[in-house]
Amino acid sequence: MKIGLDIMGGDYAPKATVLGAIEAYKVLSGHILVLIGDKDAAVSILRENNFNPDNFEYIHTTEVIGMGEHPTKAVVQKPDSSISVGFKLLKEGQIQAFSSAGNTGAMLVGAMFSVKTIPGILRPAITTIVPKLKGGLGILLDVGANADCKPEVLVQFGVLGSLMAQNVYNIDNPRVALMNIGEEEEKGNLLCQATYPLMRETSLFNFVGNAEGRDLFSDNADVFVCDGFTGNIILKLAESFYVATRKKGLKDEFFDRFNYEQYGGSPILGVNGAVVVGHGISNPEAIKNMVLLSKDMVESELVGKITQAFQ
Amino acid sequence: MKIGLDIMGGDYAPKATVLGAIEAYKVLSGHILVLIGDKDAAVSILRENNFNPDNFEYIHTTEVIGMGEHPTKAVVQKPDSSISVGFKLLKEGQIQAFSSAGNTGAMLVGAMFSVKTIPGILRPAITTIVPKLKGGLGILLDVGANADCKPEVLVQFGVLGSLMAQNVYNIDNPRVALMNIGEEEEKGNLLCQATYPLMRETSLFNFVGNAEGRDLFSDNADVFVCDGFTGNIILKLAESFYVATRKKGLKDEFFDRFNYEQYGGSPILGVNGAVVVGHGISNPEAIKNMVLLSKDMVESELVGKITQAFQ
């Protein structure tokens, strides 16, 4: 398998990304890591770290999409950016997975422009994992791709999250919950009220009803579905809470599992390829785990299984 | 001042509420606490605790609205419930404040049926406080009264939160932020995109732009405005995070300030009276603080100031 990594993406790129590639190399036996970006910069960082540059393949690019750039404009106007080229390679099958800690919006737009959405999927979703207090993990989606969603889109997120939980995290018959503000069916905003009956009737996943904010770390469900506005606020709030525990010197295995470095990144589900977006502040450890997650997505044949489910 | 307390509201009522009334009595010099509910039960609990029942006034009621009851139905069908009677007393001016740890929906409906919404207010909001990492606190609203909101309603919440911060918490020229999923004006869901320009143009409060989930505990703003769906999820998630820190044996002054017991309850802003809703699991300490918060609302003349602002 050839795994593409955008070495220009992230606040500490290319140093953090190239060092992350070294870490990934150590555990990626038999797979080839393709570094996409400024080859000279990469080789020089590798040499400084006494690492043989021949262990990687390279696709040299000359442009970089900045973290603050407008996604669509940037992807169109910078065809030789590491993100644009990465997606070109993914589309052509020259790499089987692509990940970047760069501009999330550009990654989403790039995916939709190049490998495109899987037929039948209304909107792709960005997912994240959430640790459970009792151990193990859950999946939350969407965390930012779609600020406004229709009920049918949320139902599809249930399918995507369920397949992800099953195939990548080996969770059997994943329990899917709708993020809401009450347990009863009639509770919630108009979106949830319209979504609940659709989820209750579906045979596409194992719907277990509404979940509330307090249930996110519980073992009541494995997949939590919400629109991207709600999910993004939850994600950033949880992250800030984790940061607060660290600032206060509180260390605990549960809170440590909030650490984005551990889970590496957020897959974009619903597009025709294994695509993972990393946190902007990714360090080498996070980059390594992002690469490994993209590999897991390929090995679990998740994209094929999603395609099948929507046929 | 006469302060009304529903002694039948909450999971541990009437014991926790009556014991909370004793605690409140100790610091409420010059004010009279009116206990609304089963008088015999109250007197018996007071005697058990060697407390002179004559220190309180009583309004005996025979009905109780359960935590799970349908708010509107319950308020209509149980006119002699402690909540219905409490609002009757508030409307008639026999008490100047009313608080309850009972059914939140019934408290909201009861307030709107009896003292009614302040003229000009589109929808009342339930508020909560959020601790800041650097000390001090912010205000978040709405946390559950309105799952779906219009842009103009969010603008009004900005006014309500700002007046609350100013008058009850003595925050000078409070900074009001819109809860969103990006810093830039054009970010967010359709609601936020429509609300931002209205807030930017308003002279009714000091708008400081968008806040993200990660800003909630920061010192970037004093008032965080969102619809009741988003706010309720934030509130319950933050609460569960606090519970997790306690379960893990992590103790810190910052996390302790998440403890609902300390702040006592959530004022319903925008109605014609000082009304506070407490947490269902309120213990005596929480009840005491809920009563004190309702007193603070009266002393700060918050309702009058809100009325003036909307004239």
Side-chain angles (χ1 to χ4, degrees):
Chain A
M1 184 194 316
K2 287 198 179 182
I3 303 169
L5 170 65
D6 168 17
I7 57 167
M8 311 310 282
D11 298 343
Y12 309 120
K15 186 152 186 199
T17 46
V18 173
L19 295 181
I22 297 178
E23 294 307 310
Y25 174 83
K26 296 176 186 166
V27 285
L28 270 181
S29 53
H31 302 298
I32 295 162
L33 205 45
V34 181
L35 306 193
I36 303 157
D38 183 337
K39 183 178 175 179
D40 297 342
V43 168
S44 130
I45 294 165
L46 292 170
R47 290 235 164 86
E48 276 167 29
N49 288 275
N50 303 314
F51 186 88
N52 181 358
D54 296 339
N55 288 325
F56 297 131
E57 291 189 8
Y58 302 86
I59 301 289
H60 182 68
T61 61
T62 57
E63 292 175 306
V64 177
I65 293 178
M67 296 303 263
E69 284 193 63
H70 186 280
T72 314
K73 277 187 201 160
V75 167
V76 171
Q77 290 168 1
K78 292 185 170 172
D80 201 41
S81 64
S82 48
I83 287 181
S84 299
V85 171
F87 278 115
K88 189 170 157 281
L89 297 170
L90 186 67
K91 187 185 174 186
E92 292 169 351
Q94 296 191 48
I95 55 178
Q96 281 68 57
F98 179 48
S99 60
S100 169
N103 187 315
T104 301
M107 284 295 286
L108 188 63
V109 168
M112 292 175 74
F113 278 13
S114 61
V115 293
K116 297 203 164 57
T117 306
I118 291 169
I121 299 263
L122 297 165
R123 297 283 310 166
I126 302 180
T127 64
T128 191
I129 66 150
V130 282
K132 288 182 181 178
L133 265 165
K134 287 186 175 172
L137 55 86
I139 289 172
L140 175 71
L141 77 167
D142 173 29
V143 296
N146 315 275
D148 291 285
C149 290
K150 298 215 164 87
E152 313 84 70
V153 170
L154 292 191
V155 174
Q156 291 199 342
F157 291 172
V159 181
L160 294 175
S162 186
L163 288 170
M164 168 99 182
Q166 240 171 301
N167 293 289
V168 179
Y169 295 111
N170 299 314
I171 298 170
D172 217 34
N173 193 25
R175 296 157 298 166
V176 177
L178 177 63
M179 281 303 296
N180 204 335
I181 58 170
E183 285 175 18
E184 303 83 0
E185 167 160 7
E186 69 278 6
K187 285 291 171 77
N189 56 11
L190 296 172
L191 174 63
C192 285
Q193 288 173 16
T195 304
Y196 191 105
L198 299 181
M199 288 195 167
R200 191 191 51 211
E201 297 305 323
T202 193
S203 57
L204 299 170
F205 52 79
N206 174 17
F207 181 54
V208 294
N210 290 326
E212 297 186 76
R214 65 167 69 96
D215 299 319
L216 197 66
F217 312 126
S218 76
D219 195 35
N220 299 352
D222 302 300
V223 178
F224 299 88
V225 173
C226 59
D227 62 69
F229 183 86
T230 306
N232 191 269
I233 286 184
I234 290 175
L235 176 68
K236 288 178 179 161
L237 183 64
E239 231 174 61
S240 76
F241 225 108
Y242 164 70
V243 170
T245 60
R246 296 305 298 260
K247 271 193 189 152
K248 297 292 182 179
L250 306 176
K251 245 191 101 46
D252 179 273
E253 184 268 336
F254 168 69
F255 294 109
D256 285 348
R257 283 188 286 135
F258 279 91
N259 188 347
Y260 73 94
E261 294 166 19
Q262 298 308 313
Y263 58 84
S266 299
I268 300 180
L269 295 188
V271 296
N272 253 317
V275 179
V276 182
V277 189
H279 203 300
I281 57 170
S282 285
N283 62 8
E285 174 76 7
I287 297 292
K288 177 191 88 178
N289 286 315
M290 176 173 76
V291 167
L292 295 181
L293 178 55
S294 75
K295 176 190 70 92
D296 288 347
M297 286 175 71
V298 179
E299 285 182 338
S300 67
E301 299 175 9
L302 181 61
V303 174
K305 278 164 186 161
I306 294 173
T307 307
Q308 225 170 1
F310 282 88
Q311 257 168 0
Chain B
M1 185 194 314
K2 287 198 179 180
I3 303 169
L5 170 65
D6 168 16
I7 57 168
M8 311 311 283
D11 298 343
Y12 308 121
K15 187 156 186 196
T17 47
V18 173
L19 295 180
I22 297 178
E23 294 308 310
Y25 174 83
K26 294 176 186 166
V27 285
L28 270 182
S29 54
H31 302 298
I32 295 163
L33 205 44
V34 180
L35 307 194
I36 303 157
D38 183 337
K39 183 177 174 180
D40 296 343
V43 168
S44 132
I45 294 165
L46 292 171
R47 290 236 165 87
E48 276 167 30
N49 288 275
N50 301 314
F51 187 89
N52 182 357
D54 296 339
N55 289 325
F56 297 130
E57 290 189 8
Y58 302 86
I59 301 289
H60 182 69
T61 61
T62 57
E63 292 175 305
V64 177
I65 294 178
M67 296 304 263
E69 284 194 62
H70 186 279
T72 315
K73 277 187 203 161
V75 167
V76 171
Q77 289 167 359
K78 291 185 171 172
D80 202 40
S81 65
S82 48
I83 287 181
S84 300
V85 170
F87 278 114
K88 189 169 157 280
L89 298 169
L90 186 67
K91 188 187 175 187
E92 291 170 352
Q94 297 191 48
I95 55 178
Q96 280 70 56
F98 180 48
S99 60
S100 170
N103 186 313
T104 300
M107 283 295 286
L108 188 64
V109 169
M112 292 175 74
F113 278 14
S114 61
V115 294
K116 297 201 165 59
T117 306
I118 291 170
I121 298 264
L122 298 165
R123 295 284 309 168
I126 302 179
T127 64
T128 191
I129 66 152
V130 282
K132 290 183 179 176
L133 265 165
K134 287 185 175 174
L137 56 85
I139 289 173
L140 174 72
L141 77 169
D142 174 29
V143 296
N146 316 275
D148 291 284
C149 290
K150 297 213 164 88
E152 313 86 68
V153 170
L154 291 191
V155 174
Q156 290 199 344
F157 290 172
V159 181
L160 294 175
S162 186
L163 288 170
M164 169 99 182
Q166 239 170 304
N167 292 289
V168 180
Y169 294 111
N170 300 312
I171 298 170
D172 219 34
N173 194 27
R175 296 157 298 166
V176 178
L178 177 63
M179 281 303 297
N180 204 335
I181 59 170
E183 286 175 18
E184 303 85 359
E185 168 160 3
E186 69 278 6
K187 286 288 172 78
N189 57 10
L190 295 173
L191 174 63
C192 285
Q193 288 173 15
T195 304
Y196 192 106
L198 299 182
M199 288 195 166
R200 191 191 52 212
E201 298 304 325
T202 193
S203 56
L204 298 171
F205 52 79
N206 175 17
F207 181 53
V208 294
N210 289 328
E212 298 186 77
R214 66 167 68 95
D215 299 318
L216 197 67
F217 311 126
S218 77
D219 194 36
N220 299 353
D222 303 301
V223 178
F224 299 88
V225 173
C226 58
D227 62 67
F229 184 86
T230 306
N232 191 268
I233 286 184
I234 290 175
L235 176 68
K236 288 178 180 162
L237 183 64
E239 232 173 59
S240 76
F241 225 108
Y242 164 70
V243 171
T245 61
R246 295 306 298 260
K247 272 193 190 151
K248 296 292 182 181
L250 307 176
K251 245 191 98 49
D252 180 274
E253 183 269 336
F254 168 69
F255 295 109
D256 284 347
R257 283 189 285 133
F258 279 92
N259 188 346
Y260 73 95
E261 293 166 20
Q262 299 306 314
Y263 58 84
S266 299
I268 301 181
L269 295 187
V271 296
N272 253 315
V275 180
V276 182
V277 189
H279 203 299
I281 56 169
S282 286
N283 62 8
E285 174 76 8
I287 297 291
K288 177 192 88 178
N289 285 315
M290 177 173 74
V291 167
L292 296 180
L293 178 55
S294 74
K295 177 190 72 93
D296 289 347
M297 287 176 71
V298 179
E299 285 182 338
S300 67
E301 298 175 9
L302 181 60
V303 174
K305 278 160 186 162
I306 293 174
T307 307
Q308 226 169 3
F310 283 88
Q311 255 169 0

